[in-house]
Amino acid sequence: MANNNVTGSPLEKTSLASLDQRLAMAKRCSREGVKAGAKAAVLVGIATAIPTLASARMLPWARANLNHSAQALLISTVAGAAYFIVADKTVLATARRNSFKQVSNIEA
């Protein structure tokens, strides 16, 4: 039979608090990434939509070959790519910045 009367060490409590702190930091990093990615997707979507829609109206080749679905696909693909690239870079930069803060707190 296993002995269930073992008390936890103070290190376990500290590690649980540290784990909660890391989880909160990860949520904050991902939230910042989502915000930055959404801003980039809107900006790039608008910057892509204007020339795409204008060229589909003015250029004979684009008028003949780019229907509404193709135009929407171009715009949404670029906006989606911008979202994921910026969100990934933001999450990595925030995590890197927070990891350096943790190292300086441990050394101090």
Side-chain angles (χ1 to χ4, degrees):
M1 254 193 212
N3 187 359
N4 291 332
N5 294 330
V6 177
T7 58
S9 70
L11 293 176
E12 289 176 358
K13 293 178 184 175
T14 305
S15 66
L16 289 177
S18 175
L19 184 62
D20 288 340
Q21 183 181 12
R22 287 185 185 185
L23 182 62
M25 194 178 313
K27 286 182 180 180
R28 189 171 51 248
C29 289
S30 63
R31 192 173 302 122
E32 288 180 21
V34 168
K35 285 181 184 178
K39 288 178 185 177
V42 168
L43 181 69
V44 171
I46 292 170
T48 306
I50 293 169
T52 302
L53 296 174
S55 65
R57 307 270 187 274
M58 295 178 199
L59 299 175
W61 178 89
R63 186 181 305 140
N65 293 315
L66 295 178
N67 60 10
H68 295 293
S69 297
Q71 294 170 26
L73 183 63
L74 283 169
I75 296 166
S76 63
T77 301
V78 173
Y83 172 81
F84 285 111
I85 290 169
V86 171
D88 183 49
K89 287 187 176 224
T90 304
V91 167
L92 290 175
T94 307
R96 187 177 302 118
R97 188 172 52 240
N98 288 335
S99 69
F100 287 140
K101 284 181 185 176
Q102 282 184 348
V103 170
S104 64
N105 288 343
I106 291 172
E107 290 175 355

